[in-house]
Each structure stands twice: as structure tokens, then as C-alpha cells.
Amino acid sequence: MAGEENGSAENNGYASWDDVYLQYDFGEPREIHSINLYRNGYANALNTFKRIKIEVFSNEDFSDANVLFGTADVEETAATKLAAQTINLTTPVTARYVRIWQKGHCIQNTNSSWKGYSNVVGLRGIEVIAKLKDGETLPDAQETRNIALGKLPYVYGLAPTNIAAISDGKQDDNYAVHNSTGERWLQFEYKNRYRIHEVSSRAPIRWSA
């Protein structure tokens, strides 16, 4: 993050910052059918993701660039919050590289009138869906489970009230409350090694100061 996140796109430097991009090289051209972008989110705010552009190409000199989306702002709503932005291609395209551009975001609080600009680009996941090649197979299905279920975490800071609710596997009003100020964290000890596929922290876990 460069500059202060505040309501002035001029004074915090946002207006003069360049667009930035992530680029993937698949090693060879692939037949692309869709792209999914999963972005960051805030509990009490909605984002407008600024100047999104998605383009693909196969020549290293970028001479055959093909823009699949944008340049356009993508506005988050309560209904689309944390949902993927999906670009479904009516006609698949063949490309080796994909570039995903953005120029930060504008955040608007939902519990106040505050809003501000930032150059931060927060992505939780990127999926590029392509046709299987000849001889290529889908990965074997793997059984996964919640290894934190029912385990009490070690706590840095004051012990939360109702600590067992943190890992009871339920999303209801029976939540834990952590009242420490400053730095605090939870730690789970598994005693064995596991291949971890996903780590989730879901509301209504509430941390207050």
C-alpha cells in the first residue's frame, strides 16, 4: 500500500499512481474458456475495484494482445460481495499468457459515510479455466475435512469468552468475543502434519477492542 487510504484521490497520491498487473505464463498456449477473480472484502464496507482489465496473448512482445474485459470499474454490492467476477467466453480463446490489471480500489463504509481511495489490489484467488489437453486428466479427487473442528486454540492475549464456539463448525449467534487490545492471535496445534487446502475465518467471529 502506497499513500494513505483517505477520501482525496489527489492528496493521497492515488490520481498519479499507475495501473498495475499480475501476469501468468502457462508455458504453452491453452484454450481458455473462463476466468474467475475472487477479491478481498471488508465486514462493514463495499469496494469499487478500479480500472479492471483482463487480456491474454501468446507472443512475448504482446503483439497479439486480446482484451477480454475492460478497462472498467467493477462495483461490489451487498449481493455480490466476495463472489467471483466471472468472465465467461462465448468463444474460447487460445493464449499462453494472461494479464490482470487494476488501479487499487475505492472503499465505501456501510455503517458510516466514510469512503476513501487506495492503491491496494487484494485478490483471494484467480482461476483460469481451460480445456484439457490430449492425455491430460483431472487431478484425483481428495477427501478434505476441517481439522480445526472441535479443537481449542491457544490464544495470545486475553482468553475469548465462549472459546469453544470458535471451532464448533457452526455459523450462528453463539460466537466468541476477544477483548484484548493491541496484537492478538489464535494458534491451532495438530501434532501431526497435514496438507492444508484452505484456511477460513468466517463471521460472526467478532474481535473487539
Side-chain angles (χ1 to χ4, degrees):
M1 181 176 181
E4 181 183 356
E5 186 172 62
N6 61 39
S8 172
E10 298 292 336
N11 294 339
N12 70 352
Y14 177 89
S16 61
W17 287 326
D18 293 332
D19 298 15
V20 298
Y21 67 81
L22 297 173
Q23 178 174 307
Y24 286 94
D25 178 357
F26 305 124
E28 60 182 338
R30 299 300 301 261
E31 184 180 299
I32 299 171
H33 288 246
S34 64
I35 297 174
N36 299 314
L37 304 183
Y38 298 87
R39 298 189 174 87
N40 65 311
Y42 301 96
N44 296 307
L46 295 173
N47 286 299
T48 298
F49 307 103
K50 306 295 288 184
R51 295 183 53 80
I52 305 300
K53 181 169 71 172
I54 301 171
E55 53 190 343
V56 296
F57 56 103
S58 290
N59 297 331
E60 290 187 4
D61 63 3
F62 209 62
S63 58
D64 62 338
N66 181 7
V67 177
L68 306 182
F69 178 87
T71 303
D73 293 349
V74 175
E75 186 175 356
E76 184 180 61
T77 67
T80 63
K81 189 172 183 176
L82 297 182
Q85 177 191 354
T86 298
I87 294 87
N88 286 316
L89 305 179
T90 304
T91 302
V93 298
T94 298
R96 173 173 171 171
Y97 305 92
V98 59
R99 277 186 182 179
I100 300 165
W101 293 83
Q102 185 174 333
K103 185 182 178 179
H105 66 262
C106 179
I107 183 173
Q108 170 70 63
N109 278 7
T110 54
N111 58 357
S112 73
S113 61
W114 187 92
K115 70 177 181 178
Y117 290 85
S118 169
N119 77 324
V120 169
V121 176
L123 288 162
R124 297 182 296 117
I126 298 172
E127 296 174 338
V128 180
I129 309 302
K131 181 181 179 181
L132 293 176
K133 301 184 301 179
D134 291 341
E136 189 175 37
T137 59
L138 291 172
D140 293 335
Q142 298 185 30
E143 182 182 354
T144 60
R145 60 187 176 90
N146 180 5
I147 59 174
L149 184 65
K151 292 185 178 293
L152 295 183
Y154 175 81
V155 179
Y156 179 82
L158 297 178
T161 61
N162 199 18
I163 189 172
I166 291 174
S167 51
D168 65 3
K170 301 176 182 178
Q171 297 185 52
D172 52 26
D173 291 335
N174 182 39
Y175 52 83
V177 177
H178 197 299
N179 292 310
S180 291
T181 59
E183 183 179 15
R184 60 267 199 185
W185 43 260
L186 302 174
Q187 176 177 306
F188 287 91
E189 169 61 56
Y190 300 117
K191 298 183 180 178
N192 292 302
R193 297 179 64 183
Y194 293 91
R195 178 174 292 177
I196 297 175
H197 293 257
E198 178 183 353
V199 178
S200 300
S201 176
R202 297 186 178 95
I205 295 174
R206 302 186 182 183
W207 301 77
S208 60

PDB file of all heavy atoms in Angstrom, residues 5 15 17 31 34 66 78 80 91 125-126 140 155 167 183:
ATOM      1  N   GLU A   5      -4.926   5.744   2.842  1.00  0.00           N
ATOM      2  CA  GLU A   5      -6.261   5.487   2.324  1.00  0.00           C
ATOM      3  C   GLU A   5      -7.199   6.551   2.890  1.00  0.00           C
ATOM      4  O   GLU A   5      -7.529   6.540   4.066  1.00  0.00           O
ATOM      5  CB  GLU A   5      -6.718   4.093   2.735  1.00  0.00           C
ATOM      6  CG  GLU A   5      -8.048   3.685   2.108  1.00  0.00           C
ATOM      7  CD  GLU A   5      -8.369   2.233   2.377  1.00  0.00           C
ATOM      8  OE1 GLU A   5      -8.510   1.870   3.564  1.00  0.00           O
ATOM      9  OE2 GLU A   5      -8.467   1.463   1.418  1.00  0.00           O
ATOM     10  N   ALA A  15      -4.306   9.586  -7.643  1.00  0.00           N
ATOM     11  CA  ALA A  15      -4.531  10.073  -9.007  1.00  0.00           C
ATOM     12  C   ALA A  15      -3.300   9.904  -9.897  1.00  0.00           C
ATOM     13  O   ALA A  15      -3.421   9.754 -11.114  1.00  0.00           O
ATOM     14  CB  ALA A  15      -4.963  11.538  -8.973  1.00  0.00           C
ATOM     15  N   TRP A  17      -0.845   7.484  -9.418  1.00  0.00           N
ATOM     16  CA  TRP A  17      -0.288   6.130  -9.439  1.00  0.00           C
ATOM     17  C   TRP A  17      -0.656   5.407 -10.730  1.00  0.00           C
ATOM     18  O   TRP A  17      -1.713   5.625 -11.311  1.00  0.00           O
ATOM     19  CB  TRP A  17      -0.807   5.325  -8.247  1.00  0.00           C
ATOM     20  CG  TRP A  17      -0.216   5.739  -6.948  1.00  0.00           C
ATOM     21  CD1 TRP A  17       1.053   6.184  -6.730  1.00  0.00           C
ATOM     22  CD2 TRP A  17      -0.872   5.786  -5.681  1.00  0.00           C
ATOM     23  NE1 TRP A  17       1.229   6.499  -5.413  1.00  0.00           N
ATOM     24  CE2 TRP A  17       0.070   6.269  -4.743  1.00  0.00           C
ATOM     25  CE3 TRP A  17      -2.144   5.484  -5.236  1.00  0.00           C
ATOM     26  CZ2 TRP A  17      -0.230   6.431  -3.405  1.00  0.00           C
ATOM     27  CZ3 TRP A  17      -2.451   5.639  -3.904  1.00  0.00           C
ATOM     28  CH2 TRP A  17      -1.502   6.104  -2.994  1.00  0.00           C
ATOM     29  N   GLU A  31      -6.361 -23.395 -24.409  1.00  0.00           N
ATOM     30  CA  GLU A  31      -7.693 -22.967 -24.831  1.00  0.00           C
ATOM     31  C   GLU A  31      -8.473 -22.527 -23.593  1.00  0.00           C
ATOM     32  O   GLU A  31      -8.941 -23.348 -22.804  1.00  0.00           O
ATOM     33  CB  GLU A  31      -8.423 -24.097 -25.546  1.00  0.00           C
ATOM     34  CG  GLU A  31      -9.784 -23.684 -26.110  1.00  0.00           C
ATOM     35  CD  GLU A  31     -10.484 -24.822 -26.821  1.00  0.00           C
ATOM     36  OE1 GLU A  31      -9.909 -25.323 -27.826  1.00  0.00           O
ATOM     37  OE2 GLU A  31     -11.577 -25.229 -26.374  1.00  0.00           O
ATOM     38  N   SER A  34     -12.917 -19.562 -19.425  1.00  0.00           N
ATOM     39  CA  SER A  34     -13.431 -18.584 -18.464  1.00  0.00           C
ATOM     40  C   SER A  34     -12.336 -18.204 -17.481  1.00  0.00           C
ATOM     41  O   SER A  34     -11.331 -18.922 -17.328  1.00  0.00           O
ATOM     42  CB  SER A  34     -14.653 -19.122 -17.707  1.00  0.00           C
ATOM     43  OG  SER A  34     -14.313 -20.243 -16.929  1.00  0.00           O
ATOM     44  N   ASN A  66      -5.234  -9.631 -26.674  1.00  0.00           N
ATOM     45  CA  ASN A  66      -6.675  -9.712 -26.862  1.00  0.00           C
ATOM     46  C   ASN A  66      -7.339  -9.350 -25.537  1.00  0.00           C
ATOM     47  O   ASN A  66      -7.177 -10.055 -24.541  1.00  0.00           O
ATOM     48  CB  ASN A  66      -7.056 -11.135 -27.287  1.00  0.00           C
ATOM     49  CG  ASN A  66      -8.553 -11.295 -27.533  1.00  0.00           C
ATOM     50  OD1 ASN A  66      -9.310 -10.328 -27.509  1.00  0.00           O
ATOM     51  ND2 ASN A  66      -8.976 -12.521 -27.765  1.00  0.00           N
ATOM     52  N   ALA A  78     -23.945  -5.542  -1.948  1.00  0.00           N
ATOM     53  CA  ALA A  78     -24.155  -6.486  -0.853  1.00  0.00           C
ATOM     54  C   ALA A  78     -24.397  -7.890  -1.388  1.00  0.00           C
ATOM     55  O   ALA A  78     -24.002  -8.884  -0.779  1.00  0.00           O
ATOM     56  CB  ALA A  78     -25.333  -6.024   0.005  1.00  0.00           C
ATOM     57  N   THR A  80     -23.201  -9.167  -4.284  1.00  0.00           N
ATOM     58  CA  THR A  80     -22.050  -9.737  -4.990  1.00  0.00           C
ATOM     59  C   THR A  80     -20.782  -9.772  -4.148  1.00  0.00           C
ATOM     60  O   THR A  80     -19.743 -10.216  -4.614  1.00  0.00           O
ATOM     61  CB  THR A  80     -21.761  -8.937  -6.271  1.00  0.00           C
ATOM     62  OG1 THR A  80     -21.415  -7.584  -5.912  1.00  0.00           O
ATOM     63  CG2 THR A  80     -22.965  -8.923  -7.191  1.00  0.00           C
ATOM     64  N   THR A  91     -16.872 -17.585 -27.131  1.00  0.00           N
ATOM     65  CA  THR A  91     -15.936 -18.307 -28.000  1.00  0.00           C
ATOM     66  C   THR A  91     -14.611 -18.411 -27.272  1.00  0.00           C
ATOM     67  O   THR A  91     -14.000 -17.384 -26.949  1.00  0.00           O
ATOM     68  CB  THR A  91     -15.737 -17.566 -29.331  1.00  0.00           C
ATOM     69  OG1 THR A  91     -16.999 -17.418 -29.987  1.00  0.00           O
ATOM     70  CG2 THR A  91     -14.784 -18.336 -30.226  1.00  0.00           C
ATOM     71  N   GLY A 125      -8.069 -15.113  -4.861  1.00  0.00           N
ATOM     72  CA  GLY A 125      -7.869 -16.256  -5.737  1.00  0.00           C
ATOM     73  C   GLY A 125      -8.091 -15.877  -7.190  1.00  0.00           C
ATOM     74  O   GLY A 125      -8.860 -14.956  -7.498  1.00  0.00           O
ATOM     75  N   ILE A 126      -7.388 -16.564  -8.085  1.00  0.00           N
ATOM     76  CA  ILE A 126      -7.546 -16.376  -9.527  1.00  0.00           C
ATOM     77  C   ILE A 126      -7.655 -17.755 -10.160  1.00  0.00           C
ATOM     78  O   ILE A 126      -6.829 -18.634  -9.883  1.00  0.00           O
ATOM     79  CB  ILE A 126      -6.345 -15.620 -10.135  1.00  0.00           C
ATOM     80  CG1 ILE A 126      -6.243 -14.218  -9.529  1.00  0.00           C
ATOM     81  CG2 ILE A 126      -6.468 -15.544 -11.651  1.00  0.00           C
ATOM     82  CD1 ILE A 126      -4.978 -13.483  -9.937  1.00  0.00           C
ATOM     83  N   ASP A 140      -6.808 -36.280  -9.229  1.00  0.00           N
ATOM     84  CA  ASP A 140      -7.609 -37.201  -8.447  1.00  0.00           C
ATOM     85  C   ASP A 140      -8.344 -36.443  -7.347  1.00  0.00           C
ATOM     86  O   ASP A 140      -7.798 -35.531  -6.728  1.00  0.00           O
ATOM     87  CB  ASP A 140      -6.726 -38.278  -7.805  1.00  0.00           C
ATOM     88  CG  ASP A 140      -6.112 -39.210  -8.843  1.00  0.00           C
ATOM     89  OD1 ASP A 140      -6.712 -39.339  -9.930  1.00  0.00           O
ATOM     90  OD2 ASP A 140      -5.045 -39.781  -8.565  1.00  0.00           O
ATOM     91  N   VAL A 155      -4.329 -19.047  22.690  1.00  0.00           N
ATOM     92  CA  VAL A 155      -4.670 -17.642  22.477  1.00  0.00           C
ATOM     93  C   VAL A 155      -3.553 -16.746  22.976  1.00  0.00           C
ATOM     94  O   VAL A 155      -3.073 -16.907  24.104  1.00  0.00           O
ATOM     95  CB  VAL A 155      -5.988 -17.277  23.203  1.00  0.00           C
ATOM     96  CG1 VAL A 155      -6.322 -15.805  22.992  1.00  0.00           C
ATOM     97  CG2 VAL A 155      -7.121 -18.159  22.710  1.00  0.00           C
ATOM     98  N   SER A 167     -14.408 -22.925  17.029  1.00  0.00           N
ATOM     99  CA  SER A 167     -14.156 -24.083  16.162  1.00  0.00           C
ATOM    100  C   SER A 167     -15.250 -25.144  16.295  1.00  0.00           C
ATOM    101  O   SER A 167     -14.986 -26.329  16.160  1.00  0.00           O
ATOM    102  CB  SER A 167     -12.797 -24.686  16.483  1.00  0.00           C
ATOM    103  OG  SER A 167     -12.660 -24.920  17.874  1.00  0.00           O
ATOM    104  N   GLU A 183      -1.929  -6.360  19.610  1.00  0.00           N
ATOM    105  CA  GLU A 183      -1.748  -7.580  18.823  1.00  0.00           C
ATOM    106  C   GLU A 183      -2.343  -8.784  19.551  1.00  0.00           C
ATOM    107  O   GLU A 183      -2.151  -8.960  20.741  1.00  0.00           O
ATOM    108  CB  GLU A 183      -0.258  -7.829  18.565  1.00  0.00           C
ATOM    109  CG  GLU A 183       0.023  -9.029  17.685  1.00  0.00           C
ATOM    110  CD  GLU A 183       1.502  -9.242  17.425  1.00  0.00           C
ATOM    111  OE1 GLU A 183       2.310  -8.630  18.153  1.00  0.00           O
ATOM    112  OE2 GLU A 183       1.837 -10.029  16.533  1.00  0.00           O
TER     113      GLU A 183
END
